[in-house]
Every structure is written in C-alpha cells, then in structure tokens.
Amino acid sequence: TQLLEQSPQFLSIQEGENLTVYCNSSSVFSSLQWYRQEPGEGPVLLVTVVTGGEVKKLKRLTFQFGDARKDSSLHITAAQPGDTGLYLCAGAVVGGSTLGRLYFGRGTQLTVWP
Amino acid sequence: DTGVSQNPRHKITKRGQNVTFRCDPISEHNRLYWYRQTLGQGPEFLTYFQNEAQLEKSRLLSDRFSAERPKGSFSTLEIQRTEQGDSAMYLCASSLRPTGTASTDTQYFGPGTRLTVL
C-alpha cells in the first residue's frame, strides 16, 4: 500500500483547460513537496509546503497543503503543452524513523494536447 | 549552482555482474539520499547519509547492495551479482539540514542512472 495516494493516475486534456491533482494520506506530514519528472530524468522540485492550510502559487500552478497536513492538491490554470509530465507528491512523515526521508505517490501523468 | 550529478546516466549489464554508480551532491549539502524508481511507480527510499555516516537502510536494500560516502561528499552505490529485478532508475538526492534544527529539508534530485540487467 502507498502511504500517499495520488489521483488521477492519468490525465489527458486540451490546452487551455484547468486541472487539479490530489495527494492524500492518513498520515501527517511535516512537509510535502511536489516534483515534476520528464521521461528518463530525475524529479525536479516545484514547491515545498510546510504549514497546514498553506497555499503557494508558482505562475499558473497553485499548491495547497491541507489543514491537517495529511493531503495536498496541485491546480493548474490554463494548461499548456509544456506542462506535460509526471507530477509527483512526496512527504516527510512526522515522527518518521528517518527524518527527511520522502514517501512518494505513484504520480499523475499529465498530457496537454495543443 | 551545478546541481546533483550522477554517473553513468545509463548502464546495461548482464545478470550476475557487479555495477557501481556515483552521485555528486550539491556542494555543502550534508545529506545524501538514494532512491529507486521502477516503471509506473514513484521513487522508493533506499538509504541515506548525513555527512559520511549511513544512518538508515531500507528493507529494499538487500545484502547485494552497498552504499558509501567516504568523505562526506560524493557517494557510490554498488550492486553485486545483479538480477533482472534490479533493473530500475537509481536516483540520488541531496539536501542541507542545518545541525540542531528539527525543520525538514528540501531534497534536490539528480538526473538518475538507468540500469538495465539483461
């Protein structure tokens, strides 16, 4: 079982549409990070959220950390083909044996068609 | 800022051979992590170092796997007697956690080493 459940697993949309990706868990996280990964490359950090209820914006991307620090969402406004990629959420569990070890979701594969 | 680098980027080997991967973290980062990623999955934790000390190893890391970070800078991950199930992307990440703090650090990943075991 995955500690972090991401949904949807696949998302295929037209350019200009909005979308939301969800990352949920029953565990509490001290922080949660979102990454984007291209085929054959390592994950590239997009954002880190640490405070319950925190909202961060990165151009057309909006990230939210749940009040209880168990879930997070990524919203993309007016998606563009350049947003295509695998979006991964990853969290560091509160009280985990390895401080800083990240638990990853399986990812959401986003494809934006022109 | 040179980022995290990993070598080689690709490795093809025959079953039973030994392979070694190298990771050079962002300079001055005191923590270094190894993860493994298979197709359709997110990265899974293997082990991590704080400076030169290996502080934890996942149960995923069998006896055939060994990792070192001899001077607290670069790290190597060796797999002995490779098996086809070892085929995966091996990712290295580094972070800077100031000593004496409880805050969570942000991990920066390298481009990975793609291992294919025939």
Side-chain angles (χ1 to χ4, degrees), chain A residues 2 9 30-31 33 35 37 40-43 45 48 86 88 92 97-107, chain B residues 9-10 31 33 35 37 40-45 48 56 58 89 91 97 104-112 114:
Chain A
Q2 294 279 129
Q9 187 176 355
S30 58
S31 71
Q33 298 169 17
Y35 293 85
Q37 187 175 25
E41 299 292 332
L45 180 70
T48 300
L86 180 69
L88 293 160
S97 61
T98 302
L99 295 176
R101 166 186 178 173
L102 292 178
Y103 292 86
F104 280 83
R106 286 187 178 177
Chain B
R9 292 294 311 276
H10 304 275
R31 287 194 161 195
Y33 298 81
Y35 291 84
Q37 186 178 24
Q41 302 291 326
E44 294 176 292
F45 170 80
Y48 99 102
E56 184 164 344
S58 163
M89 172 78 90
L91 294 163
R97 168 175 277 199
T104 299
D105 44 9
T106 294
Q107 295 180 27
Y108 298 88
F109 282 80
R114 168 72 65 188

Side-chain angles (χ1 to χ4, degrees), chain B:
Chain B
D1 181 8
T2 56
V4 178
S5 61
Q6 292 187 246
N7 289 288
R9 292 294 311 276
H10 304 275
K11 179 71 177 178
I12 300 174
T13 191
K14 293 183 179 179
R15 189 178 53 185
Q17 297 294 305
N18 299 342
V19 294
T20 301
F21 310 140
R22 176 176 169 129
C23 171
D24 287 88
I26 294 171
S27 60
E28 299 179 357
H29 275 194
N30 55 357
R31 287 194 161 195
L32 188 148
Y33 298 81
W34 286 98
Y35 291 84
R36 182 172 70 185
Q37 186 178 24
T38 54
L39 199 61
Q41 302 291 326
E44 294 176 292
F45 170 80
L46 292 178
T47 188
Y48 99 102
F49 294 83
Q50 178 149 318
N51 300 312
E52 66 276 6
Q54 187 174 17
L55 296 186
E56 184 164 344
K57 293 167 60 174
S58 163
R59 285 174 293 177
L60 291 176
L61 215 64
S62 76
D63 292 343
R64 297 183 296 106
F65 288 69
S66 62
E68 294 183 344
R69 194 183 183 197
K71 297 182 180 179
S73 56
F74 73 92
S75 176
T76 57
L77 177 67
E78 180 183 16
I79 309 175
Q80 296 181 327
R81 305 180 303 283
T82 52
E83 301 173 355
Q84 288 184 324
D86 297 331
S87 295
M89 172 78 90
Y90 289 84
L91 294 163
C92 175
S94 72
S95 67
L96 175 63
R97 168 175 277 199
T99 57
T101 70
S103 63
T104 299
D105 44 9
T106 294
Q107 295 180 27
Y108 298 88
F109 282 80
T113 294
R114 168 72 65 188
L115 173 66
T116 302
V117 182
L118 303 176

Side-chain angles (χ1 to χ4, degrees), chain A residues 14-55:
Chain A
Q14 293 292 130
E15 183 176 4
E17 293 184 17
N18 301 333
L19 66 111
T20 302
V21 176
Y22 299 94
C23 182
N24 297 295
S25 178
S26 57
S27 298
V28 178
F29 294 93
S30 58
S31 71
L32 202 138
Q33 298 169 17
W34 285 92
Y35 293 85
R36 191 174 95 181
Q37 187 175 25
E38 303 287 343
E41 299 292 332
V44 175
L45 180 70
L46 296 174
V47 77
T48 300
V49 286
V50 296
T51 305
E54 182 176 5
V55 176

